[in-house]
Protein backbone atom coordinates (compact mmCIF):
# COMPACT_ATOMS: atom_id res chain seq x y z
CA UNK A 1 0.00 0.00 0.00
CA UNK A 2 1.30 3.48 -0.83
CA UNK A 3 2.13 5.67 2.15
CA UNK A 4 1.99 9.45 1.94
CA UNK A 5 3.90 11.95 4.06
CA UNK A 6 2.99 15.23 5.72
CA UNK A 7 4.85 18.45 5.00
CA UNK A 8 6.20 20.13 8.12
CA UNK A 9 8.86 22.84 7.95
CA UNK A 10 9.48 22.00 4.30
CA UNK A 11 10.30 18.35 4.99
CA UNK A 12 8.53 15.01 4.53
CA UNK A 13 7.24 13.75 7.88
CA UNK A 14 5.74 10.31 8.46
CA UNK A 15 3.09 9.69 11.11
CA UNK A 16 3.79 7.61 14.20
CA UNK A 17 0.49 5.99 13.25
CA UNK A 18 -1.46 5.83 9.99
CA UNK A 19 -5.07 5.47 8.89
CA UNK A 20 -6.53 3.79 5.81
CA UNK A 21 -7.93 5.69 2.87
CA UNK A 22 -10.73 3.99 0.92
CA UNK A 23 -11.35 4.20 -2.82
CA UNK A 24 -15.11 4.88 -3.01
CA UNK A 25 -15.30 3.15 -6.40
CA UNK A 26 -14.23 -0.17 -4.85
CA UNK A 27 -14.97 0.25 -1.15
CA UNK A 28 -11.41 -0.99 -0.50
CA UNK A 29 -8.56 0.73 1.35
CA UNK A 30 -5.80 1.48 -1.14
CA UNK A 31 -3.38 3.75 0.73
CA UNK A 32 -2.41 4.96 4.17
CA UNK A 33 -2.21 8.50 5.47
CA UNK A 34 -0.17 9.70 8.44
CA UNK A 35 -1.93 10.48 11.70
CA UNK A 36 -0.50 13.77 12.94
CA UNK A 37 0.11 13.82 16.70
CA UNK A 38 0.18 16.87 18.95
CA UNK A 39 3.98 17.25 18.87
CA UNK A 40 3.94 17.19 15.08
CA UNK A 41 1.17 19.76 14.98
CA UNK A 42 3.20 21.95 17.36
CA UNK A 43 6.20 21.61 15.04
CA UNK A 44 4.05 22.68 12.08
CA UNK A 45 2.78 25.71 14.00
CA UNK A 46 6.28 26.73 15.16
CA UNK A 47 7.52 26.45 11.58
CA UNK A 48 4.58 28.45 10.17
CA UNK A 49 5.07 31.18 12.77
CA UNK A 50 8.81 31.41 12.06
CA UNK A 51 8.24 31.50 8.29
CA UNK A 52 5.65 34.26 8.65
CA UNK A 53 8.26 36.80 9.87
CA UNK A 54 10.05 37.25 6.52
CA UNK A 55 7.25 36.01 4.27
CA UNK A 56 4.85 38.80 5.23
CA UNK A 57 7.27 41.55 4.20
CA UNK A 58 8.36 40.26 0.80
CA UNK A 59 5.58 40.52 -1.76
CA UNK A 60 7.91 40.09 -4.74
CA UNK A 61 9.16 36.81 -3.33
CA UNK A 62 5.63 35.66 -2.63
CA UNK A 63 4.60 36.44 -6.18
CA UNK A 64 7.53 34.42 -7.55
CA UNK A 65 6.64 31.56 -5.22
CA UNK A 66 3.00 31.56 -6.33
CA UNK A 67 4.06 31.23 -9.98
CA UNK A 68 6.49 28.48 -8.97
CA UNK A 69 3.62 26.71 -7.19
CA UNK A 70 1.51 26.89 -10.38
CA UNK A 71 4.39 25.49 -12.45
CA UNK A 72 5.02 22.69 -9.96
CA UNK A 73 1.35 21.74 -9.95
CA UNK A 74 1.12 21.61 -13.73
CA UNK A 75 4.32 19.55 -13.97
CA UNK A 76 2.70 16.83 -11.86
CA UNK A 77 -0.92 17.41 -12.80
CA UNK A 78 -1.68 13.90 -13.97
CA UNK A 79 -0.28 12.24 -10.85
CA UNK A 80 -2.24 14.62 -8.62
CA UNK A 81 -5.48 14.26 -10.59
CA UNK A 82 -5.35 10.45 -10.42
CA UNK A 83 -4.92 10.53 -6.65
CA UNK A 84 -7.89 12.90 -6.35
CA UNK A 85 -10.03 10.50 -8.39
CA UNK A 86 -8.87 7.44 -6.46
CA UNK A 87 -9.70 8.90 -3.07
CA UNK A 88 -12.67 11.14 -3.95
CA UNK A 89 -14.33 9.24 -6.78
CA UNK A 90 -14.79 12.16 -9.20
CA UNK A 91 -14.29 11.59 -12.94
CA UNK A 92 -10.64 12.00 -13.89
CA UNK A 93 -11.49 14.77 -16.36
CA UNK A 94 -12.96 16.79 -13.46
CA UNK A 95 -9.90 16.16 -11.33
CA UNK A 96 -7.63 17.31 -14.17
CA UNK A 97 -9.66 20.51 -14.54
CA UNK A 98 -9.35 20.99 -10.78
CA UNK A 99 -5.54 20.93 -10.97
CA UNK A 100 -5.54 23.37 -13.89
CA UNK A 101 -7.85 25.72 -11.96
CA UNK A 102 -5.64 25.48 -8.89
CA UNK A 103 -2.62 26.52 -10.98
CA UNK A 104 -4.62 29.39 -12.52
CA UNK A 105 -5.67 30.46 -9.07
CA UNK A 106 -2.05 30.76 -7.87
CA UNK A 107 -1.27 32.97 -10.88
CA UNK A 108 -4.35 35.13 -10.41
CA UNK A 109 -3.62 35.79 -6.76
CA UNK A 110 -0.01 36.54 -7.64
CA UNK A 111 -1.25 39.28 -9.98
CA UNK A 112 -3.82 40.70 -7.56
CA UNK A 113 -3.22 44.27 -6.39
CA UNK A 114 -4.13 45.43 -2.90
CA UNK A 115 -4.28 49.19 -3.18
CA UNK A 116 -3.29 51.53 -0.37
CA UNK A 117 -6.21 53.83 0.37
CA UNK A 118 -5.69 57.45 1.31
CA UNK A 119 -8.51 58.49 3.64
CA UNK A 120 -7.18 61.92 4.56
CA UNK A 121 -4.65 64.22 2.88
CA UNK A 122 -4.69 67.77 4.24
CA UNK A 123 -2.72 70.27 6.32
CA UNK A 124 -3.19 68.08 9.42
CA UNK A 125 -2.16 64.65 8.20
CA UNK A 126 -1.78 62.10 5.47
CA UNK A 127 -3.71 59.05 6.58
CA UNK A 128 -3.32 55.82 4.63
CA UNK A 129 -4.89 52.43 5.11
CA UNK A 130 -2.97 49.31 4.13
CA UNK A 131 -3.82 45.63 4.60
CA UNK A 132 -1.68 43.74 7.11
CA UNK A 133 -1.55 39.90 7.08
CA UNK A 134 -3.04 38.41 10.22
CA UNK A 135 -0.50 35.61 10.76
CA UNK A 136 -0.67 31.84 10.62
CA UNK A 137 -3.86 30.47 9.07
CA UNK A 138 -5.25 27.12 10.22
CA UNK A 139 -7.07 25.69 7.20
CA UNK A 140 -9.51 22.79 7.71
CA UNK A 141 -11.15 21.27 4.65
CA UNK A 142 -13.91 18.85 3.51
CA UNK A 143 -13.82 15.85 1.18
CA UNK A 144 -15.79 16.98 -1.88
CA UNK A 145 -13.14 18.76 -4.00
CA UNK A 146 -9.88 18.47 -2.07
CA UNK A 147 -7.44 20.25 -4.37
CA UNK A 148 -9.69 23.25 -5.01
CA UNK A 149 -10.46 23.51 -1.30
CA UNK A 150 -6.76 23.51 -0.38
CA UNK A 151 -5.72 26.10 -2.96
CA UNK A 152 -8.76 28.28 -2.14
CA UNK A 153 -6.95 29.05 1.10
CA UNK A 154 -3.26 28.66 0.21
CA UNK A 155 -3.20 31.05 -2.77
CA UNK A 156 -4.97 34.04 -1.14
CA UNK A 157 -3.15 33.42 2.15
CA UNK A 158 0.17 33.57 0.29
CA UNK A 159 -0.91 36.75 -1.49
CA UNK A 160 -1.92 38.25 1.85
CA UNK A 161 1.45 37.33 3.41
CA UNK A 162 0.19 34.60 5.74
CA UNK A 163 1.65 31.15 6.30
CA UNK A 164 -0.62 28.11 6.43
CA UNK A 165 -1.13 24.89 8.36
CA UNK A 166 -3.57 22.84 6.32
CA UNK A 167 -5.61 19.77 7.21
CA UNK A 168 -7.66 17.89 4.61
CA UNK A 169 -10.61 15.64 5.42
CA UNK A 170 -9.71 12.18 6.73
CA UNK A 171 -11.79 10.78 3.82
CA UNK A 172 -9.61 12.52 1.22
CA UNK A 173 -6.20 13.35 2.70
CA UNK A 174 -4.01 12.06 -0.12
CA UNK A 175 -4.29 14.67 -2.89
CA UNK A 176 -3.66 17.40 -0.32
CA UNK A 177 -0.65 15.54 1.14
CA UNK A 178 0.65 15.10 -2.41
CA UNK A 179 0.05 18.79 -3.06
CA UNK A 180 2.19 19.58 -0.02
CA UNK A 181 4.91 17.29 -1.39
CA UNK A 182 4.75 18.87 -4.84
CA UNK A 183 4.96 22.40 -3.42
CA UNK A 184 7.91 21.62 -1.10
CA UNK A 185 10.35 22.70 -3.77
CA UNK A 186 8.40 25.85 -4.61
CA UNK A 187 7.25 27.33 -1.29
CA UNK A 188 9.80 28.25 1.40
CA UNK A 189 9.91 25.93 4.43
CA UNK A 190 7.12 26.65 6.87
CA UNK A 191 4.96 28.76 4.59
CA UNK A 192 2.84 25.71 3.80
CA UNK A 193 2.53 22.85 6.26
CA UNK A 194 0.18 19.97 5.46
CA UNK A 195 -0.91 17.66 8.27
CA UNK A 196 -3.44 14.84 8.22
CA UNK A 197 -5.62 13.13 10.77
CA UNK A 198 -9.14 12.89 12.08
CA UNK A 199 -11.58 15.37 13.53
CA UNK A 200 -9.56 15.70 16.76
CA UNK A 201 -6.70 17.16 14.78
CA UNK A 202 -9.05 19.85 13.45
CA UNK A 203 -10.07 20.71 16.99
CA UNK A 204 -6.44 20.87 18.15
CA UNK A 205 -5.81 23.33 15.33
CA UNK A 206 -8.66 25.65 16.26
CA UNK A 207 -7.61 25.52 19.95
CA UNK A 208 -3.92 26.02 19.20
CA UNK A 209 -2.55 29.40 20.34
CA UNK A 210 -0.47 30.05 17.21
CA UNK A 211 -2.97 30.57 14.36
CA UNK A 212 -4.54 34.01 14.18
CA UNK A 213 -7.06 32.93 11.59
CA UNK A 214 -9.12 29.83 10.80
CA UNK A 215 -10.23 29.11 7.25
CA UNK A 216 -12.83 26.38 7.55
CA UNK A 217 -14.91 24.75 4.85
CA UNK A 218 -17.32 22.03 5.87
CA UNK A 219 -20.64 21.32 7.47
CA UNK A 220 -22.74 23.74 9.52
CA UNK A 221 -22.49 21.55 12.62
CA UNK A 222 -18.69 21.52 12.56
CA UNK A 223 -18.52 25.18 11.53
CA UNK A 224 -20.41 26.16 14.66
CA UNK A 225 -17.94 24.18 16.81
CA UNK A 226 -15.02 25.77 15.02
CA UNK A 227 -16.48 29.23 15.61
CA UNK A 228 -16.92 28.62 19.34
CA UNK A 229 -13.42 27.23 19.68
CA UNK A 230 -11.84 30.10 17.71
CA UNK A 231 -13.79 32.69 19.70
CA UNK A 232 -12.08 31.64 22.93
CA UNK A 233 -8.83 32.99 21.50
CA UNK A 234 -10.38 35.74 19.32
CA UNK A 235 -9.08 34.08 16.16
CA UNK A 236 -10.50 35.50 12.95
CA UNK A 237 -12.74 32.99 11.18
CA UNK A 238 -13.74 32.44 7.60
CA UNK A 239 -16.49 29.83 7.55
CA UNK A 240 -17.76 28.39 4.26
CA UNK A 241 -20.49 25.99 5.27
CA UNK A 242 -23.30 23.93 3.85
CA UNK A 243 -26.05 24.98 1.51
CA UNK A 244 -29.52 23.87 0.51
CA UNK A 245 -29.76 25.89 -2.68
CA UNK A 246 -33.20 26.35 -4.19
CA UNK A 247 -33.65 26.79 -7.94
CA UNK A 248 -36.93 28.41 -9.02
CA UNK A 249 -38.13 27.78 -12.57
CA UNK A 250 -40.58 30.36 -13.95
CA UNK A 251 -43.47 29.43 -16.19
CA UNK A 252 -41.98 31.06 -19.30
CA UNK A 253 -39.26 28.42 -19.65
CA UNK A 254 -39.33 25.43 -21.98
CA UNK A 255 -39.47 22.35 -19.69
CA UNK A 256 -37.02 20.21 -21.65
CA UNK A 257 -34.55 23.03 -22.16
CA UNK A 258 -34.56 24.06 -18.52
CA UNK A 259 -34.18 20.45 -17.35
CA UNK A 260 -31.26 20.05 -19.71
CA UNK A 261 -29.50 23.12 -18.38
CA UNK A 262 -30.31 22.47 -14.73
CA UNK A 263 -29.43 18.81 -14.50
CA UNK A 264 -25.64 19.08 -14.15
CA UNK A 265 -26.04 22.05 -11.80
CA UNK A 266 -27.60 19.56 -9.38
CA UNK A 267 -25.68 16.38 -10.19
CA UNK A 268 -22.12 17.57 -10.92
CA UNK A 269 -19.61 15.75 -8.68
CA UNK A 270 -22.55 13.48 -7.73
CA UNK A 271 -24.29 16.41 -6.02
CA UNK A 272 -21.37 16.80 -3.62
CA UNK A 273 -20.90 20.50 -4.20
CA UNK A 274 -21.82 23.09 -1.60
CA UNK A 275 -23.48 25.30 -4.22
CA UNK A 276 -25.30 22.59 -6.18
CA UNK A 277 -29.04 22.87 -6.79
CA UNK A 278 -30.51 20.92 -3.87
CA UNK A 279 -34.24 21.75 -4.13
CA UNK A 280 -36.06 22.51 -7.35
CA UNK A 281 -39.27 24.59 -7.44
CA UNK A 282 -41.37 24.21 -10.60
CA UNK A 283 -44.76 25.79 -11.48
CA UNK A 284 -47.69 23.39 -11.31
CA UNK A 285 -48.45 24.00 -15.00
CA UNK A 286 -45.18 22.46 -16.21
CA UNK A 287 -44.31 20.21 -13.26
CA UNK A 288 -44.84 16.85 -14.98
CA UNK A 289 -42.91 17.87 -18.07
CA UNK A 290 -39.89 19.07 -16.09
CA UNK A 291 -39.85 15.94 -13.91
CA UNK A 292 -40.04 13.71 -17.00
CA UNK A 293 -37.21 15.55 -18.73
CA UNK A 294 -34.99 15.38 -15.62
CA UNK A 295 -35.78 11.70 -15.17
CA UNK A 296 -34.76 10.98 -18.76
CA UNK A 297 -31.44 12.70 -18.18
CA UNK A 298 -30.88 10.81 -14.92
CA UNK A 299 -31.59 7.46 -16.56
CA UNK A 300 -29.07 8.11 -19.32
CA UNK A 301 -26.25 9.39 -17.10
CA UNK A 302 -23.20 7.11 -17.14
CA UNK A 303 -22.33 6.26 -13.53
CA UNK A 304 -19.05 4.49 -12.89
CA UNK A 305 -15.45 4.48 -11.74
CA UNK A 306 -13.96 7.93 -12.21
CA UNK A 307 -10.93 6.39 -13.89
CA UNK A 308 -13.08 5.08 -16.78
CA UNK A 309 -13.02 7.55 -19.65
CA UNK A 310 -16.78 7.54 -20.30
CA UNK A 311 -17.87 8.01 -16.68
CA UNK A 312 -19.98 11.10 -16.12
CA UNK A 313 -20.81 10.55 -12.47
CA UNK A 314 -18.60 8.85 -9.90
CA UNK A 315 -19.57 7.24 -6.59
CA UNK A 316 -20.60 8.98 -3.40
CA UNK A 317 -17.37 9.67 -1.54
CA UNK A 318 -17.76 7.66 1.64
CA UNK A 319 -19.91 5.06 3.35
CA UNK A 320 -21.61 7.34 5.93
CA UNK A 321 -22.61 9.76 3.16
CA UNK A 322 -23.75 6.90 0.89
CA UNK A 323 -25.94 5.55 3.68
CA UNK A 324 -27.27 9.02 4.41
CA UNK A 325 -28.36 9.51 0.79
CA UNK A 326 -30.07 6.12 0.74
CA UNK A 327 -31.80 6.96 4.04
CA UNK A 328 -32.98 10.37 2.82
CA UNK A 329 -34.44 8.91 -0.38
CA UNK A 330 -36.14 6.02 1.43
CA UNK A 331 -37.51 8.46 4.02
CA UNK A 332 -38.91 10.75 1.33
CA UNK A 333 -40.61 7.82 -0.41
CA UNK A 334 -42.15 6.69 2.88
CA UNK A 335 -43.43 10.24 3.33
CA UNK A 336 -45.12 10.29 -0.09
CA UNK A 337 -42.46 11.24 -2.66
CA UNK A 338 -42.35 9.37 -5.93
CA UNK A 339 -39.17 8.02 -7.53
CA UNK A 340 -39.17 9.34 -11.10
CA UNK A 341 -35.66 7.98 -11.74
CA UNK A 342 -33.05 6.11 -9.73
CA UNK A 343 -33.89 5.60 -6.09
CA UNK A 344 -31.42 2.88 -5.22
CA UNK A 345 -27.78 1.93 -4.90
CA UNK A 346 -26.08 0.17 -7.78
CA UNK A 347 -25.29 -3.46 -7.13
CA UNK A 348 -21.68 -4.44 -6.60
CA UNK A 349 -18.71 -2.91 -4.86
CA UNK A 350 -18.27 0.80 -4.18
CA UNK A 351 -20.59 3.56 -3.05
CA UNK A 352 -22.53 4.02 -6.29
CA UNK A 353 -26.02 5.47 -6.08
CA UNK A 354 -28.26 5.99 -9.09
CA UNK A 355 -28.91 9.64 -9.94
CA UNK A 356 -32.33 10.12 -8.42
CA UNK A 357 -35.21 12.44 -9.24
CA UNK A 358 -37.92 12.63 -6.57
CA UNK A 359 -41.28 14.10 -7.55
CA UNK A 360 -44.13 14.95 -5.19
CA UNK A 361 -41.45 16.13 -2.75
CA UNK A 362 -42.49 18.59 -0.05
CA UNK A 363 -41.20 20.57 2.87
CA UNK A 364 -41.10 18.50 6.02
CA UNK A 365 -39.17 15.75 4.24
CA UNK A 366 -35.55 15.80 5.45
CA UNK A 367 -34.31 15.57 1.85
CA UNK A 368 -35.96 18.95 1.25
CA UNK A 369 -35.25 20.65 4.59
CA UNK A 370 -31.65 19.47 5.03
CA UNK A 371 -28.61 19.43 2.80
CA UNK A 372 -28.47 16.05 1.04
CA UNK A 373 -25.03 16.56 -0.59
CA UNK A 374 -25.49 13.64 -2.96
CA UNK A 375 -27.05 12.49 -6.26
CA UNK A 376 -30.73 12.89 -5.38
CA UNK A 377 -32.84 15.92 -6.28
CA UNK A 378 -36.29 16.65 -4.82
CA UNK A 379 -38.64 18.49 -7.21
CA UNK A 380 -41.42 20.56 -5.61
CA UNK A 381 -44.38 22.22 -7.32
CA UNK A 382 -45.55 25.74 -6.56
CA UNK A 383 -48.76 27.65 -7.15
CA UNK A 384 -47.47 31.23 -7.26
CA UNK A 385 -44.08 32.90 -7.51
CA UNK A 386 -44.58 34.45 -4.05
CA UNK A 387 -45.19 30.99 -2.67
CA UNK A 388 -41.96 29.73 -4.27
CA UNK A 389 -39.91 32.65 -2.92
CA UNK A 390 -41.30 32.21 0.57
CA UNK A 391 -40.54 28.47 0.58
CA UNK A 392 -37.07 28.94 -0.88
CA UNK A 393 -36.26 31.48 1.85
CA UNK A 394 -37.78 29.44 4.65
CA UNK A 395 -34.49 27.75 5.48
CA UNK A 396 -31.61 28.12 7.91
CA UNK A 397 -29.29 27.88 4.88
CA UNK A 398 -28.47 30.77 2.56
CA UNK A 399 -25.57 29.83 0.33
CA UNK A 400 -26.91 30.12 -3.23
CA UNK A 401 -30.15 30.16 -5.20
CA UNK A 402 -31.18 30.54 -8.82
CA UNK A 403 -34.02 31.82 -10.96
CA UNK A 404 -34.68 30.40 -14.43
CA UNK A 405 -36.70 32.56 -16.81
CA UNK A 406 -36.90 33.69 -20.43
CA UNK A 407 -37.46 37.24 -19.15
CA UNK A 408 -34.24 38.71 -17.67
CA UNK A 409 -36.04 41.60 -15.91
CA UNK A 410 -38.53 39.32 -14.24
CA UNK A 411 -35.72 37.01 -13.09
CA UNK A 412 -33.60 39.91 -11.82
CA UNK A 413 -36.48 41.33 -9.77
CA UNK A 414 -36.96 37.95 -8.15
CA UNK A 415 -33.25 37.38 -7.55
CA UNK A 416 -33.04 40.21 -5.05
CA UNK A 417 -35.84 38.73 -2.98
CA UNK A 418 -33.93 35.51 -2.37
CA UNK A 419 -32.00 35.10 0.89
CA UNK A 420 -28.75 33.74 -0.45
CA UNK A 421 -25.15 34.90 -0.74
CA UNK A 422 -25.22 34.39 -4.51
CA UNK A 423 -28.22 34.28 -6.84
CA UNK A 424 -27.70 33.05 -10.36
CA UNK A 425 -30.01 33.72 -13.29
CA UNK A 426 -30.38 30.92 -15.84
CA UNK A 427 -27.44 29.02 -14.38
CA UNK A 428 -26.30 27.88 -10.96
CA UNK A 429 -23.01 27.45 -9.12
CA UNK A 430 -20.82 29.54 -11.41
CA UNK A 431 -17.93 31.06 -9.49
CA UNK A 432 -15.94 33.61 -11.47
CA UNK A 433 -12.58 34.60 -10.03
CA UNK A 434 -13.63 38.14 -9.04
CA UNK A 435 -16.97 37.50 -7.37
CA UNK A 436 -17.35 37.27 -3.58
CA UNK A 437 -18.60 33.93 -2.33
CA UNK A 438 -20.37 34.12 1.01
CA UNK A 439 -23.21 32.32 2.66
CA UNK A 440 -25.91 34.10 4.62
CA UNK A 441 -27.56 32.62 7.72
CA UNK A 442 -25.99 29.25 8.65
CA UNK A 443 -24.16 28.92 5.33
CA UNK A 444 -21.15 30.87 6.46
CA UNK A 445 -19.36 33.78 8.00
CA UNK A 446 -17.20 36.10 5.93
CA UNK A 447 -16.69 36.11 2.19
CA UNK A 448 -14.10 34.30 0.11
CA UNK A 449 -12.79 34.24 -3.45
CA UNK A 450 -10.78 36.96 -5.19
CA UNK A 451 -9.97 40.05 -3.17
CA UNK A 452 -12.43 38.96 -0.46
CA UNK A 453 -10.24 36.01 0.56
CA UNK A 454 -7.25 38.33 0.78
CA UNK A 455 -9.30 40.67 2.94
CA UNK A 456 -10.21 37.74 5.18
CA UNK A 457 -6.52 36.99 5.74
CA UNK A 458 -5.55 40.62 6.31
CA UNK A 459 -6.74 43.46 8.49
CA UNK A 460 -6.72 47.19 7.88
CA UNK A 461 -3.74 49.01 9.28
CA UNK A 462 -3.84 52.80 9.47
CA UNK A 463 -0.62 54.74 8.90
CA UNK A 464 -0.97 58.30 10.19
CA UNK A 465 1.66 60.78 8.94
CA UNK A 466 1.40 63.96 10.98
CA UNK A 467 1.97 67.20 9.12
P1 LIG B 1 -17.27 18.22 8.07
O1 LIG B 1 -17.75 19.43 8.76
O2 LIG B 1 -17.69 16.89 8.58
O3 LIG B 1 -15.67 18.17 8.05
C1 LIG B 1 -14.91 19.21 7.51
C2 LIG B 1 -13.54 19.20 8.16
O4 LIG B 1 -13.64 19.55 9.54
C3 LIG B 1 -12.82 17.86 8.11
O5 LIG B 1 -11.45 18.09 7.81
C4 LIG B 1 -12.98 17.34 9.53
O6 LIG B 1 -11.96 16.44 9.91
C5 LIG B 1 -12.89 18.63 10.33
N1 LIG B 1 -13.49 18.59 11.67
C6 LIG B 1 -14.46 17.77 12.14
N2 LIG B 1 -14.76 18.09 13.43
C7 LIG B 1 -13.99 19.14 13.75
C8 LIG B 1 -13.86 19.95 14.93
N3 LIG B 1 -14.60 19.73 16.02
N4 LIG B 1 -12.99 20.98 14.91
C9 LIG B 1 -12.26 21.26 13.80
N5 LIG B 1 -12.33 20.52 12.66
C10 LIG B 1 -13.18 19.47 12.65
O7 LIG B 1 -17.70 18.40 6.55
P2 LIG B 1 -17.56 17.34 5.35
O8 LIG B 1 -18.59 16.28 5.53
O9 LIG B 1 -16.13 16.96 5.19
O10 LIG B 1 -17.93 18.26 4.09
C11 LIG B 1 -19.22 18.42 3.60
C12 LIG B 1 -19.78 19.76 3.98
O11 LIG B 1 -18.94 20.81 3.52
C13 LIG B 1 -21.13 20.04 3.32
O12 LIG B 1 -22.01 20.60 4.27
C14 LIG B 1 -20.80 21.07 2.24
O13 LIG B 1 -21.87 21.88 1.87
C15 LIG B 1 -19.71 21.83 2.92
N6 LIG B 1 -18.93 22.60 1.94
C16 LIG B 1 -19.08 23.96 1.90
C17 LIG B 1 -18.38 24.72 0.96
C18 LIG B 1 -18.51 26.21 0.90
O14 LIG B 1 -17.65 26.84 0.31
N7 LIG B 1 -19.55 26.80 1.47
C19 LIG B 1 -17.54 24.06 0.05
C20 LIG B 1 -17.43 22.68 0.11
C21 LIG B 1 -18.13 21.95 1.06
Amino acid sequence: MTTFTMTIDGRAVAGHATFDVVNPATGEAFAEAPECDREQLDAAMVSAQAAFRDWRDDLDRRRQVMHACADALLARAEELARIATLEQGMPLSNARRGVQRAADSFRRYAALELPRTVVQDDHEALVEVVRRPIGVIAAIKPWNVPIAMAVNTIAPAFRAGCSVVLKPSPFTPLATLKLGEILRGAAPAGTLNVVSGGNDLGQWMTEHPTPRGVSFTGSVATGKRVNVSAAADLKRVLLELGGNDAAIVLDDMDPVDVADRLYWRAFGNSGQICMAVKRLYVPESMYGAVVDALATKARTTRVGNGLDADTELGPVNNRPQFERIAGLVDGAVRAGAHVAAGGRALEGAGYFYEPTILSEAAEGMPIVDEEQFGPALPVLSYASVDDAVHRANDSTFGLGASVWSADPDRAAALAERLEAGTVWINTHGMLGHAQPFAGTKWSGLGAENGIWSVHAFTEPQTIYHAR
Side-chain angles (χ1 to χ4, degrees):
M1 232 190 267
T2 324
T3 303
F4 289 72
T5 52
M6 298 185 282
T7 299
I8 298 177
D9 200 29
R11 287 176 293 113
V13 175
H16 298 302
T18 58
F19 58 95
D20 286 347
V21 182
V22 170
N23 178 345
T26 63
E28 304 279 331
F30 73 103
E32 290 176 343
E35 185 91 57
C36 182
D37 63 26
R38 278 194 189 263
E39 287 70 32
Q40 290 170 323
L41 178 64
D42 283 341
M45 294 294 180
V46 166
S47 169
Q49 185 64 55
F52 176 60
R53 274 196 298 273
D54 294 335
W55 187 235
R56 53 174 287 177
D57 293 327
D58 195 346
L59 176 58
D60 289 344
R61 173 99 176 94
R62 298 204 305 275
R63 286 188 153 137
Q64 285 162 10
V65 165
M66 284 186 264
H67 283 293
C69 288
D71 294 341
L73 276 181
L74 293 179
R76 293 177 66 186
E78 190 60 21
E79 180 189 1
L80 193 54
R82 286 185 78 81
I83 293 168
T85 290
L86 283 170
E87 69 174 354
Q88 205 285 330
M90 66 177 71
L92 187 55
S93 54
N94 293 16
R96 286 180 180 134
R97 271 200 302 280
V99 179
Q100 178 66 54
R101 281 203 207 107
D104 294 345
S105 179
F106 271 115
R107 296 203 203 284
R108 253 197 310 267
Y109 279 105
L112 196 86
E113 294 298 341
L114 265 184
R116 285 173 170 259
T117 318
V118 175
V119 293
Q120 185 181 341
D121 185 5
D122 57 21
H123 65 281
E124 190 178 282
L126 169 68
V127 185
E128 298 175 288
V129 182
V130 296
R131 302 290 311 184
R132 204 179 57 82
I134 60 178
V136 175
I137 304 296
I140 302 171
K141 299 291 168 171
W143 45 258
N144 60 332
V145 273
I147 296 168
M149 288 294 131
V151 174
N152 273 358
T153 294
I154 302 169
F158 277 13
R159 173 60 187 85
C162 296
S163 53
V164 177
V165 178
L166 167 66
K167 182 194 102 64
S169 164
F171 291 115
T172 55
L174 305 178
T176 312
L177 291 165
K178 182 58 72 177
L179 181 82
E181 180 196 318
I182 290 171
L183 299 187
R184 265 174 224 155
T191 56
L192 173 63
N193 299 271
V194 181
V195 294
S196 57
N199 298 345
D200 287 353
L201 176 62
Q203 191 168 339
W204 300 344
M205 289 169 72
T206 60
E207 290 170 352
H208 201 284
T210 297
R212 289 296 86 221
V214 179
S215 168
F216 174 81
T217 312
S219 63
V220 170
T222 310
K224 288 180 177 179
R225 270 182 234 123
V226 166
N227 199 24
V228 168
S229 174
D233 185 34
L234 288 180
K235 290 181 176 70
R236 278 47 178 163
V237 290
L238 178 58
L239 304 178
E240 295 294 346
L241 308 179
N244 192 13
D245 289 15
I248 302 178
V249 175
L250 300 190
D251 58 7
D252 54 13
M253 288 299 277
D254 174 72
V256 175
D257 179 49
V258 77
D260 216 40
R261 290 159 65 185
L262 250 161
Y263 180 78
W264 285 108
R265 304 281 136 210
F267 286 91
N269 204 32
S270 299
Q272 302 165 125
I273 295 183
C274 54
M275 50 180 166
V277 174
K278 295 186 177 133
R279 303 174 276 161
L280 179 59
Y281 289 89
V282 178
E284 282 166 357
S285 58
M286 57 195 282
Y287 184 78
V290 171
V291 167
D292 287 350
L294 286 169
T296 302
K297 287 206 67 87
R299 277 188 226 106
T300 52
T301 301
R302 294 187 298 273
V303 180
N305 189 321
L307 292 178
D308 297 341
D310 61 353
T311 290
E312 294 178 297
L313 218 63
V316 173
N317 172 255
N318 57 73
R319 177 162 285 285
Q321 186 62 15
F322 173 68
E323 287 172 357
R324 175 169 159 77
I325 296 300
L328 286 172
V329 171
D330 292 348
V333 169
R334 277 197 304 276
H338 171 72
V339 175
R344 58 194 173 91
L346 291 182
E347 281 178 20
Y351 310 138
F352 292 100
Y353 198 87
E354 289 181 348
T356 297
I357 304 294
L358 287 175
S359 64
E360 317 308 325
E363 288 82 1
M365 296 176 182
I367 199 162
V368 174
D369 298 345
E370 299 172 17
E371 179 186 38
Q372 68 273 46
F373 215 59
L377 178 67
V379 188
L380 300 92
S381 74
Y382 71 81
S384 71
V385 170
D386 284 346
D387 169 43
V389 170
H390 169 75
R391 289 159 67 194
N393 286 342
D394 190 17
S395 168
T396 51
F397 293 98
L399 194 60
S402 58
V403 184
W404 300 73
S405 170
D407 179 344
D409 294 337
R410 197 177 164 211
L414 212 57
E416 293 187 24
R417 294 174 60 196
L418 291 169
E419 295 169 6
T422 306
V423 182
W424 293 274
I425 295 172
N426 293 337
T427 187
H428 198 111
M430 301 303 289
L431 188 57
H433 62 86
Q435 77 196 57
F437 183 59
T440 60
K441 301 193 250 185
W442 284 2
S443 288
L445 213 54
E448 76 172 7
N449 204 40
I451 194 86
W452 285 272
S453 287
V454 183
H455 278 176
F457 300 140
T458 55
E459 285 178 328
Q461 181 180 45
T462 307
I463 314 282
Y464 188 106
H465 310 253
R467 285 203 166 121

